[in-house]
């Protein structure tokens, strides 16, 4: 096992306990125009929320709710960080 594999595993460890893993993808990737409120509420209770958000930002995830933020909210956050 390489050091890169170990580092990648540590960076994604939050996924093992993430609440989203129990809800299903349709919950976090709703149809256009659908509400993201329930997904965001679940994210608010998740211990991995910040790690999830940082993962989404680092990997340019453009769809769905990640770390409690929608696509537009993540885009705004990225712009404010720049």
């Amino acid at each position: 096992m390489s050091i890169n594999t170990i580092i990648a595993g540590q960076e994604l460890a939050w996924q093992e306990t993430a609440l989203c893993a129990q809800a299903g993808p349709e919950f976090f990737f709703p149809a256009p125009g659908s509400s993201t409120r329930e997904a965001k509420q679940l994210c608010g209770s998740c211990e991995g929320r910040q790690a999830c958000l940082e993962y989404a930002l680092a990997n340019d995830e453009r769809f769905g709710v990640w770390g409690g933020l929608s696509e537009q909210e993540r885009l705004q956050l990225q712009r404010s960080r720049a």
Side-chain angles (χ1 to χ4, degrees):
M1 188 177 314
S2 73
I3 189 70
N4 291 338
T5 303
I6 293 169
I7 291 171
Q10 291 171 344
E11 289 175 357
L12 299 178
W14 58 270
Q15 291 181 346
E16 292 180 22
T17 58
L19 296 176
C20 60
Q22 302 167 22
E26 64 281 347
F27 197 72
F28 292 90
F29 296 92
S34 297
S35 175
T36 59
R37 180 181 32 207
E38 291 174 344
K40 289 178 181 183
Q41 286 176 337
L42 190 60
C43 288
S45 302
C46 185
E47 293 178 12
R49 187 180 89 66
Q50 190 61 40
C52 175
L53 177 59
E54 293 304 326
Y55 172 86
L57 295 172
N59 291 283
D60 197 28
E61 292 288 349
R62 296 184 184 202
F63 302 101
V65 175
W66 290 82
L69 299 181
S70 68
E71 298 97 335
Q72 290 179 339
E73 292 166 331
R74 289 193 306 277
L75 183 58
Q76 290 173 348
L77 179 60
Q78 284 179 314
R79 287 179 179 162
S80 70
R81 286 183 173 185

